[in-house]
Amino acid sequence: MIHAVITAIGAYVPNYRLTNEELSTLVETNDEWITKRIGIKERRILKPDEGKGVSYLAVKAIEDLKSRHDFNPLEIEAVIFATTTPDYPLPSSAAITAARTGMTNAFCFDMEAACSGFIYALEIANGFIVSGKYKKVMVVAGDVLSAVTDYQDRNTCPIFGDGCGCALLEATTEEIGIMDSIIRSDGANPEYLHYYGGGSVHPASYETVDQRLHYIWQDGRIVFKRAVESMVKSCEDLLKRNNLSKEAVDWVVPHQANMRIIEAVARQFEVPIDKVMINIDKYGNTSAATIPICLWEWESRLHKGDIVLLTAFGAGFTWGATYLKWGYDPT
Ligand SMILES: CC(C)(COP(=O)(O)OP(=O)(O)OC[C@H]1O[C@@H](n2cnc3c(N)ncnc32)[C@H](O)[C@@H]1OP(=O)(O)O)[C@@H](O)C(=O)NCCC(=O)NCCS
């Protein structure tokens, strides 16, 4: 049987550190509130003097992967880029990134599932590979949320940051890689988490700018509750369907949205917190990128065969969980 396995991880976060202290000069907030209620100390921001667009971060992430892993860009057959903040509505950031990194034999497209983007993209890449038609697919997941964050809204601006991760998926007949997944969405209530400006309902205009429609807006309490419920349920259902006990799980990698969400998921799913990858304090919520950035930071502690559960929740609403057996030992 063919499985799709992650054989390499790369990531990049921009240089500029936006601290809670600096945020406190922009909106009525403070380090103590943000640390206690969200768990973030700083987030990285892509400033124009460093680079522009999510493809800038993606190229850096792929260069990072290439510097540490065996990787021939010409062998990549598809590039799937999960992002809510592409360089442009068109052309795709996937095509731009592929051209800049030499993945010139690949077909390329962007997809949007907000903060669940990485697990959605893995699902698609998995389908391509297990079909037998494709052997090497690059999944890129990145966002420049600072481009759509309202730095006058204290309910959202402390949360978000910029970053990008990438994962090389390859076909294998070994019993490793993506084993199963549960991926869901519910578009009944877009009003709870959105940015409405610039689409076909509200094309960009002076009015959409005046109404601040080009920024993310959320009802934080509703999103918080739905995020915890959805991530816990997808993980539980996935374990049940695969006859796995909680004790068998080596690592849980939750989307990094809020430290209290992560803690609630760990508590309700009943996994010890030291099995949960957490780096929200350093990077905030980088949307599609949080999970691959965690895998990248923990790469040296992951071993071949480790049972890893990825779980995410985001705008849409979108959510789900992926069960995988890690594909390689640290080098
Ligand atoms: C947004 C979020 C951090 C707010 O935290 P919270 O504990 O729920 O806070 P509340 O919304 O209940 O607000 C409590 C108070 O803090 C205030 N507050 C909100 N943001 C603040 C800030 N940055 N600094 C200081 N006070 C703040 C509120 O105005 C409110 O004041 P009030 O009681 O006088 O009205 C939290 O709801 C959250 O993380 N939600 C999920 C968001 C998310 O993950 N989004 C991305 C989805 S992937």
Side-chain angles (χ1 to χ4, degrees):
M1 186 175 169
I2 304 173
H3 289 294
V5 61
I6 295 176
T7 55
I9 282 278
Y12 183 74
V13 289
N15 296 324
Y16 190 84
R17 294 162 192 262
L18 176 58
T19 61
N20 292 346
E21 286 70 27
E22 186 180 345
L23 267 180
S24 312
T25 67
L26 305 175
V27 288
E28 184 72 35
T29 191
N30 55 70
D31 174 53
E32 192 195 345
W33 193 94
I34 299 173
T35 306
K36 197 164 152 222
R37 306 302 295 166
I38 316 182
I40 300 173
K41 294 305 271 186
E42 60 181 32
R43 57 300 281 146
R44 301 299 184 95
I45 303 295
L46 182 61
K47 294 278 188 185
D49 59 359
E50 182 189 343
K52 278 189 182 171
V54 74
S55 68
Y56 169 84
L57 302 180
V59 169
K60 292 275 196 186
I62 287 163
E63 283 169 356
D64 168 70
L65 180 150
K66 198 174 172 189
S67 70
R68 297 179 300 102
H69 293 278
D70 205 14
F71 167 60
N72 179 354
L74 293 172
E75 290 176 1
I76 302 299
E77 297 158 290
V79 178
I80 306 170
F81 199 143
T83 184
T84 312
T85 50
D87 289 8
Y88 316 105
L90 57 95
S92 75
S93 300
I96 292 170
T97 302
R100 290 185 186 158
T101 52
M103 296 188 283
T104 47
N105 292 318
F107 72 96
C108 309
F109 62 97
D110 292 355
M111 52 139 291
E112 187 271 300
C115 301
S116 308
F118 184 67
I119 61 169
Y120 266 62
L122 284 187
E123 180 78 347
I124 297 167
N126 185 51
F128 286 166
I129 288 174
V130 300
S131 77
K133 187 167 181 190
Y134 302 99
K135 293 193 169 47
K136 294 194 183 201
V137 177
M138 181 65 79
V139 165
V140 184
D143 273 297
V144 179
L145 287 178
S146 60
V148 294
T149 296
D150 185 350
Y151 289 98
Q152 293 180 22
D153 175 8
R154 69 175 184 172
N155 289 302
T156 54
C157 72
I159 296 173
F160 299 121
D162 303 338
C164 187
C166 58
L168 174 60
L169 279 102
E170 297 190 54
T172 180
T173 50
E174 279 188 78
E175 198 55 20
I176 50 171
I178 297 173
M179 295 289 129
D180 196 9
S181 59
I182 291 176
I183 308 286
R184 302 292 307 277
S185 60
D186 173 6
N189 297 100
E191 66 275 18
Y192 295 141
L193 178 53
H194 56 78
Y195 80 86
Y196 282 149
S200 52
V201 174
H202 301 288
S205 66
Y206 292 112
E207 285 74 32
T208 61
V209 173
D210 288 344
Q211 291 164 16
R212 308 187 82 72
L213 294 187
H214 297 273
Y215 296 121
I216 297 174
W217 188 91
Q218 65 174 348
D219 182 326
R221 287 184 202 185
I222 288 179
V223 175
F224 191 110
K225 193 165 169 285
R226 285 288 299 264
V228 175
E229 284 167 7
S230 308
M231 290 196 279
V232 171
K233 181 155 183 358
S234 354
C235 288
E236 302 233 329
D237 290 351
L238 200 51
L239 287 195
K240 202 167 165 197
R241 193 156 88 180
N242 289 279
N243 291 319
L244 274 177
S245 69
K246 289 176 180 172
E247 293 69 37
V249 175
D250 294 297
W251 295 103
V252 177
V253 193
H255 169 51
Q256 313 282 301
N258 179 318
M259 187 58 198
R260 289 185 297 129
I261 293 178
I262 297 170
E263 286 169 346
V265 169
R267 199 166 48 245
Q268 292 181 26
F269 185 51
E270 298 169 315
V271 287
I273 201 79
D274 58 1
K275 284 189 174 185
V276 181
M277 294 187 192
I278 302 169
N279 59 12
I280 188 170
D281 52 318
K282 293 193 285 187
Y283 308 123
N285 179 350
T286 55
S287 195
T290 66
I291 293 176
I293 291 175
C294 275
L295 293 172
W296 169 71
E297 284 208 309
W298 266 259
E299 192 183 28
S300 64
R301 295 177 62 190
L302 287 162
H303 293 87
K304 190 170 178 177
D306 279 359
I307 292 180
V308 182
L309 279 191
L310 317 177
T311 185
F313 179 87
F317 290 128
T318 57
W319 71 92
T322 308
Y323 154 38
L324 49 91
K325 289 187 186 160
W326 193 247
Y328 56 96
D329 286 319
T331 47

